[in-house]
Amino acid sequence: MRDETVLGRDTAHAIALTGISKMYGLVTALHPTDLSVDKGEFLTLLGPSGSGKTTLLNLIAGAIGPTTGTIFLDGRDITQMPPRDRGIGMVFQNYALMPHMTVFDNVAYPLRARRQPASTIRAKVTEALERVGLRGFEDRKPRQLSGGQQQRVGIARCIVYSPAIIMMDEPLGALDKNLREQLQSEIKRLHKELGTTIIYVTHDQEEALNMSDRICLMSAGQITQLGTPDELYFQPRNRFVAEFIGESNLISGRTNGNGQLMIAGNRSIPVPAGGWTDGAELLVMVRPERVQICDMDEPVKEGSNVLSGEIGTTSFVGGMTRVTVQTENGLNMTARMVSGRAESRPQAGARVRVCWSSSDMVVLET
Amino acid sequence: MSDNIHDPHSRRYHAMGTALAVVIYLFLLAPIVVTIPMAFGPTNALTFPPASYSLDLFKIFFSSPDWLNPLWESIKVALGATALAMLAGAPAGYWIARHEFVGKGLITALIMSPLVIPTIVGALGLYLYFSYLRIGGTTLSLVLGHIIVTLPYVVLMIMAGVHKLDRNLEFGAELMGAGPIRMFFTVVIPQLVPSLLSAGFFAFLISFDEVVISWFLASSNTVTLPVKMFSALEWEVSPVIAAVSTLLTTVSLLACIVAIAFKKATPVDA
Amino acid sequence: MNRISIIRAQAIFMSPAVLAATLLILPPLLYVFYTSVYGPALSLAAYGQVLTSKLFRQTLTTTLVVAGLSSLLSLLLGFVVALHLARQPARRRAFLTVLVLLPFWTSVLVKCFAFTVILGREGIINSMLSWIFGIKIQLPLVLNMVGLLVGMTNFLIPLVVLPVLASLLAIDSAIYRAAAIMGAKPARIFWTVTLPMSLPGLLAGLLSIFVMSLGAFIVPSLLGGPQDQMLSSLVAFYNREVLDWQKASAISVVLLGMVFIFAAPLALWRRRKLKA
């Protein structure tokens, strides 16, 4: 057994949660969870709504108290500490700026709460506004700003008092796509410049993949997988992760002892590495961009899996074209390929072969 | 509702409903419509419409200590009761709207109970209680008595105002290091100004118009304007009452206008 | 969250109101109970005398009849107004709501005064009738049941319009359109959609104005006749004329009991709605 207290008190982590859980009456919002975040790390809590990511965020911020467990901030137990003493910053989805205060007063708010001298306040607020590119907006009221500008004020208000951790609760959720991408890179830049630990909540998987050092994927009140964006994308643990992040082809089958996996229509493909016992039921995933579509007469590379079939639909979505193939043995495979012009794209009904390399197959937990 | 359905049947129903509604609006407004012209009538007769118009009734009112003293008493009591009810009700309304705590239901029920308890019962109780405390008949006793009828309205209106505010603002302020008191004064109060003003105006109006409790508590030198008017109405209907009525209606009208003005000016971003 | 800092803040925010409630609301009520049983000695005698007296029984009957009639009448008329308001475009509705709000905030004394002028022997109604028929008409319209009901209704209608309007506006307008598209005529829409969906609001409104009118005092005193007095007037009578505080308190307790019997279902209903 490990000593959870000692684990939490380790000051290498910016924050550590041990056995933290939250129940509302008989409803479990968060099952007992351990999580630690390194100093300077950008960690994203990703998951569908109701997965417990906002509960986790609120527990860390102190908006709600945990049912069980302990929260350590830089080695200190803060479980019973009121939010104002935690020294955590938070950026809200709806900005939560004080409508009756100017931009300057909004950003100065945390400093005034800490009774800092006026000269320090002026200097720090100016610097924070500089960082988010809002110099010259000091005297505006929030309602005179665009959504993107309001959220920059929200970020400035956070970085101005250098909190140990900044929490961002779907900060870009209310903005349109272009603005969102622009602010994503600004937040990344600020993270690099300031070196602050950031815990970021989103339900947008692309945002999570783009920004995070690590992603904590949650569902049904618990952590499903915690890892780097690469790990989550290329080595998803189970079906939920595979389907939530990116698109996937799932193939189920049974090993037969000859190093073959028996799949639909009595076809067999080589079993992926992993020392499986005979007769094991496996669920295998291949990402669509690793699936290639070849003409019937094209030579096939050594070590490839090949199934022949017929093109079902093609959908052209800009740089990529998504093609579905109905294979002869009854599978529905999706492939993603770099788009060509209409005449060079596969036509519905054409007979083709789909191929993918054995090394691109990932076995999922079932 | 179903106005966008083009159907002769429905139009006929609606015409009937509208006619009936107009009659009821007139019935509701009749007291106001009748009293205001009479306030500008002659001093010797109460007829509608008045035979002649003048400011004589107001002159009588504003030159007679029998009416002026009660007016001052009413203003004193209403200002005192409003100030105290706001002081007690605004923080309580905020706390009740935002927090769960042991005994919340009981305390809220007790504060709101004067809305349900017949005024006469409260008035009798206050009369007996204040006699025991030996403060019966004083202006203080009137102020205290009026707190219990104004407090529930203040708490309700503040609660309604708080429910419209964005909770994240308060939590954000706490996270940025503000204590509950600083947070209340820098985040909640500034956004709650419209609710506070309309609660204050209505508390004043309720106290200013209050009859039964004042009637039980007042002594001969702490008679309020409504008590004076009630006694006057019980014995003989004098034309000056038309002027008093118009005065009371003006106060109601002001409160109404203020309430509507502030309802429109609720916080922009919340 | 930190328990101690929360408790301290709660003490600061809640104590003035709790103080007001425990020092100003609770003691008077307890005093009424105490006075009702404590005369020369501790006894329920006052209740016995009150409950068996003819005056009390008559007044109780009048109270129930007046409260029942005036609340039903007010509900009916208030429903008509609420239906009309719900049908209006938002801007016009805001204006018309003011026409309901203004009487809501008008002093009940002003209303009583106005109705003595409108309904009096030489009042507006009688003068108009005399002028129409060319003979002197002096119908007794005030200081009797008629005057009392007119006054009570005028007082209660604004109280019922606002909650009923809220329940009408809560009905999704798509339901009306759906009913009409499926072929329902206005009368059918009213009976099958509007009425059933606003029924809880109507019943709650009825109950709350009934409870309110049980304790009516000013309107019966000024517009009713001597034989139309309600329980409140009896309390005032024992308190100010007879100086029998024990009986006044006993009647108050009975009145309070009646109010709670009728208010309890209302409170339960509100709580259930709050939870839903």
Side-chain angles (χ1 to χ4, degrees):
Chain A
M1 256 182 61
R2 66 206 162 130
D3 187 338
E4 291 186 341
T5 317
V6 171
L7 183 81
R9 294 209 185 280
D10 179 0
T11 52
H13 296 305
I15 197 145
L17 312 176
T18 53
I20 204 91
S21 74
K22 182 66 186 175
M23 311 250 312
Y24 291 101
L26 292 172
V27 183
T28 306
L30 185 70
H31 292 283
T33 298
D34 295 334
L35 176 67
S36 48
V37 184
D38 291 335
K39 280 185 181 157
E41 188 177 9
F42 193 121
L43 180 92
T44 297
L45 302 177
L46 175 68
S49 54
S51 58
K53 57 188 196 300
T54 302
T55 306
L56 195 53
L57 190 82
N58 284 332
L59 282 166
I60 297 173
I64 51 176
T67 308
T68 65
T70 316
I71 305 169
F72 294 95
L73 182 71
D74 204 13
R76 280 177 308 143
D77 180 350
I78 59 157
T79 317
Q80 296 302 321
M81 196 183 273
R84 66 173 179 279
D85 297 333
R86 295 189 179 197
I88 290 177
M90 185 143 166
V91 178
F92 297 87
Q93 178 173 11
N94 61 357
Y95 323 132
L97 300 178
M98 320 288 177
H100 54 285
M101 291 184 193
T102 61
V103 167
F104 184 91
D105 289 335
N106 264 289
V107 178
Y109 193 91
L111 302 177
R112 291 196 174 129
R114 286 169 172 70
R115 299 177 202 284
Q116 299 204 350
S119 55
T120 316
I121 292 179
R122 178 147 295 279
K124 283 190 173 171
V125 171
T126 306
E127 194 209 325
L129 287 175
E130 185 86 62
R131 282 200 187 275
V132 298
L134 279 184
R135 273 300 298 277
F137 289 79
E138 284 86 347
D139 296 326
R140 302 253 190 121
K141 288 283 182 69
R143 65 168 172 279
Q144 294 169 306
L145 302 178
S146 70
Q149 289 170 329
Q150 290 189 45
Q151 197 55 294
R152 284 166 212 255
V153 177
I155 294 168
R157 185 173 71 165
C158 249
I159 61 178
V160 77
Y161 62 109
S162 323
I165 297 181
I166 297 180
M167 323 262 280
M168 299 193 174
D169 188 6
E170 309 224 10
L172 311 180
L175 304 175
D176 62 39
K177 194 170 180 293
N178 286 333
L179 204 52
R180 204 158 62 216
E181 281 168 5
Q182 195 188 333
L183 270 162
Q184 275 176 19
S185 50
E186 280 191 42
I187 291 173
K188 264 170 83 169
R189 174 180 58 80
L190 280 171
H191 175 240
K192 205 178 263 170
E193 283 175 14
L194 300 168
T196 318
T197 311
I198 293 183
I199 299 180
Y200 192 98
V201 168
T202 183
H203 63 259
D204 179 344
Q205 41 138 331
E206 276 181 31
E207 199 168 282
L209 292 171
N210 172 22
M211 301 182 75
S212 323
D213 292 328
R214 277 195 305 163
I215 295 174
C216 174
L217 180 62
M218 303 192 61
S219 85
Q222 46 194 330
I223 297 177
T224 311
Q225 190 171 1
L226 177 63
T228 63
D230 259 43
E231 284 166 356
L232 262 76
Y233 191 79
F234 292 109
Q235 279 128 42
R237 234 182 72 191
N238 58 23
R239 190 183 183 133
F240 173 80
V241 181
E243 289 185 332
F244 192 83
I245 297 183
E247 218 181 339
S248 50
N249 292 297
L250 296 174
I251 303 164
S252 55
R254 179 193 294 269
T255 54
N256 70 352
N258 303 332
Q260 294 288 305
L261 185 70
M262 300 303 296
I263 60 171
N266 261 333
R267 287 293 306 261
S268 62
I269 56 174
V271 175
W276 310 100
T277 54
D278 290 350
E281 297 276 358
L282 295 187
L283 183 66
V284 178
M285 183 213 67
V286 189
R287 293 289 184 193
E289 62 272 18
R290 310 304 301 172
V291 175
Q292 281 183 318
I293 295 184
C294 337
D295 291 334
M296 296 303 286
D297 48 2
E298 228 172 293
V300 176
K301 257 189 284 172
E302 194 68 27
S304 280
N305 300 292
V306 183
L307 294 172
S308 49
E310 199 173 88
I311 302 270
T313 59
T314 62
S315 40
F316 169 59
V317 285
M320 299 298 273
T321 297
R322 187 175 172 277
V323 182
T324 63
V325 176
Q326 196 75 43
T327 64
E328 278 167 353
N329 63 330
L331 286 176
N332 217 337
M333 297 290 288
T334 303
R336 218 179 246 279
M337 50 201 277
V338 176
S339 296
R341 294 190 70 91
E343 50 282 10
S344 66
R345 291 202 291 268
Q347 300 301 312
R351 288 201 51 78
V352 290
R353 289 188 298 185
V354 285
C355 340
W356 68 92
S357 160
S358 289
S359 59
D360 286 327
M361 293 199 294
V362 180
V363 179
L364 304 178
E365 286 173 19
T366 43
Chain B
M1 253 165 79
S2 43
D3 242 15
N4 44 1
I5 301 162
H6 294 283
D7 175 358
H9 272 286
S10 93
R11 231 175 273 150
R12 202 161 62 225
Y13 272 89
H14 287 176
M16 253 164 54
T18 304
L20 213 60
V22 167
V23 172
I24 302 168
Y25 289 127
L26 289 177
F27 172 58
L28 288 177
L29 290 172
I32 299 166
V33 173
V34 167
T35 46
I36 292 175
M38 284 198 307
F40 300 93
T43 56
N44 52 359
L46 258 181
T47 46
F48 185 88
S52 62
Y53 290 93
S54 69
L55 288 174
D56 292 348
L57 292 173
F58 287 101
K59 279 181 196 151
I60 293 175
F61 176 86
F62 282 112
S63 59
S64 127
D66 278 0
W67 286 107
L68 277 185
N69 290 343
L71 176 63
W72 291 128
E73 184 68 21
S74 282
I75 292 174
K76 262 195 297 189
V77 170
L79 285 178
T82 304
L84 291 176
M86 291 292 286
L87 233 48
Y94 169 74
W95 199 262
I96 292 170
R98 280 290 191 247
H99 294 269
E100 291 303 325
F101 51 91
V102 181
K104 173 176 168 173
L106 201 70
I107 290 168
T108 315
L110 194 60
I111 293 172
M112 298 299 165
S113 65
L115 294 174
V116 190
I117 293 171
T119 325
I120 198 99
V121 178
L124 177 68
L126 285 166
Y127 169 77
L128 296 169
Y129 177 52
F130 287 157
S131 306
Y132 169 77
L133 294 179
R134 296 178 194 288
I135 55 166
T138 61
T139 303
L140 174 69
S141 74
L142 286 169
V143 170
L144 294 179
H146 283 199
I147 288 176
I148 73 165
V149 281
T150 46
L151 187 61
Y153 285 97
V154 171
V155 171
L156 278 178
M157 291 175 82
I158 298 300
M159 280 171 73
V162 171
H163 281 307
K164 276 190 230 138
L165 299 183
D166 179 1
R167 218 181 175 136
N168 279 343
L169 256 67
E170 293 153 42
F171 180 62
E174 266 190 79
L175 209 53
M176 288 187 284
I181 306 282
R182 168 187 283 270
M183 188 274 284
F184 186 67
F185 280 104
T186 55
V187 180
V188 180
I189 293 277
Q191 295 184 85
L192 219 50
V193 167
S195 301
L196 287 165
L197 280 174
S198 37
F201 269 89
F202 279 136
F204 183 89
L205 180 65
I206 288 160
S207 167
F208 194 73
D209 277 351
E210 209 288 326
V211 199
V212 183
I213 290 176
S214 313
W215 188 59
F216 267 67
L217 294 182
S219 64
S220 59
N221 54 354
T222 51
V223 166
T224 63
L225 192 59
V227 170
K228 169 75 180 157
M229 186 174 165
F230 179 60
S231 320
L233 279 172
E234 269 196 310
W235 299 114
E236 35 99 47
V237 177
S238 115
V240 181
I241 294 177
V244 183
S245 293
T246 302
L247 222 66
L248 290 179
T249 308
T250 311
V251 176
S252 308
L253 197 63
L254 280 177
C256 213
I257 290 169
V258 167
I260 291 158
F262 284 120
K263 204 168 191 180
K264 286 199 179 122
T266 31
V268 216
D269 299 76
Chain C
M1 297 280 269
N2 183 307
R3 284 273 133 229
I4 294 162
S5 82
I6 282 273
I7 288 169
R8 205 177 56 207
Q10 180 166 313
I12 295 169
F13 279 82
M14 287 302 296
S15 51
V18 171
L19 222 62
T22 47
L23 291 183
L24 291 175
I25 299 177
L26 208 52
L29 291 178
L30 295 176
Y31 245 93
V32 171
F33 280 103
Y34 171 77
T35 313
S36 73
V37 293
Y38 195 81
L42 204 66
S43 81
L44 291 173
Y47 287 95
Q49 285 164 21
V50 162
L51 293 174
T52 51
S53 89
K54 202 169 160 225
L55 180 63
F56 174 81
R57 289 186 178 190
Q58 253 172 15
T59 314
L60 180 63
T61 317
T62 314
T63 303
L64 290 172
V65 168
V66 170
L69 277 179
S70 54
S71 346
L72 275 174
L73 204 61
S74 307
L75 183 73
L76 205 67
L77 299 181
F79 192 35
V80 171
V81 171
L83 282 170
H84 180 252
L85 284 174
R87 227 169 31 229
Q88 304 308 312
R91 200 172 264 276
R92 198 186 305 160
R93 179 163 61 230
F95 168 73
L96 289 171
T97 311
V98 175
L99 296 190
V100 181
L101 271 177
L102 190 54
F104 182 81
W105 289 108
T106 303
S107 163
V108 67
L109 290 174
V110 173
K111 292 182 183 178
C112 290
F113 165 68
F115 279 113
T116 53
V117 175
I118 295 169
L119 304 173
R121 284 196 183 273
E122 311 265 339
I124 298 170
I125 300 281
N126 276 322
S127 315
M128 260 164 61
L129 291 175
S130 308
W131 180 73
I132 290 166
F133 294 103
I135 44 164
K136 189 146 182 74
I137 296 177
Q138 290 202 328
L139 291 176
L141 296 173
V142 77
L143 294 179
N144 57 21
M145 198 52 127
V146 178
L148 178 51
L149 285 179
V150 168
M152 287 294 287
T153 310
N154 190 278
F155 172 70
L156 293 173
I157 288 175
L159 297 178
V160 79
V161 168
L162 298 176
V164 171
L165 176 63
S167 74
L168 282 174
L169 291 178
I171 303 173
D172 183 359
S173 67
I175 296 179
Y176 291 109
R177 259 172 288 156
I181 287 162
M182 288 185 291
K185 290 202 172 117
R188 175 175 292 273
I189 293 178
F190 177 82
W191 290 111
T192 56
V193 179
T194 316
L195 192 62
M197 291 193 74
S198 54
L199 202 58
L202 285 172
L203 287 177
L206 179 67
L207 216 51
S208 74
I209 56 175
F210 180 74
V211 165
M212 195 142 240
S213 45
L214 283 177
F217 173 66
I218 302 289
V219 179
S221 299
L222 295 177
L223 296 178
Q227 70 287 359
D228 309 318
Q229 292 309 301
M230 296 169 67
L231 285 177
S232 295
S233 313
L234 208 57
V235 174
F237 172 72
Y238 277 110
N239 183 53
R240 296 180 69 104
E241 314 286 326
V242 189
L243 303 180
D244 185 341
W245 291 296
Q246 201 176 0
K247 280 206 187 114
S249 300
I251 300 166
S252 293
V253 173
V254 173
L255 182 56
L256 205 56
M258 281 166 59
V259 163
F260 274 104
I261 288 170
F262 289 106
L266 199 64
L268 285 178
W269 181 76
R270 289 231 170 95
R271 181 167 297 177
R272 217 180 55 197
K273 205 174 96 176
L274 214 68
K275 270 186 191 158

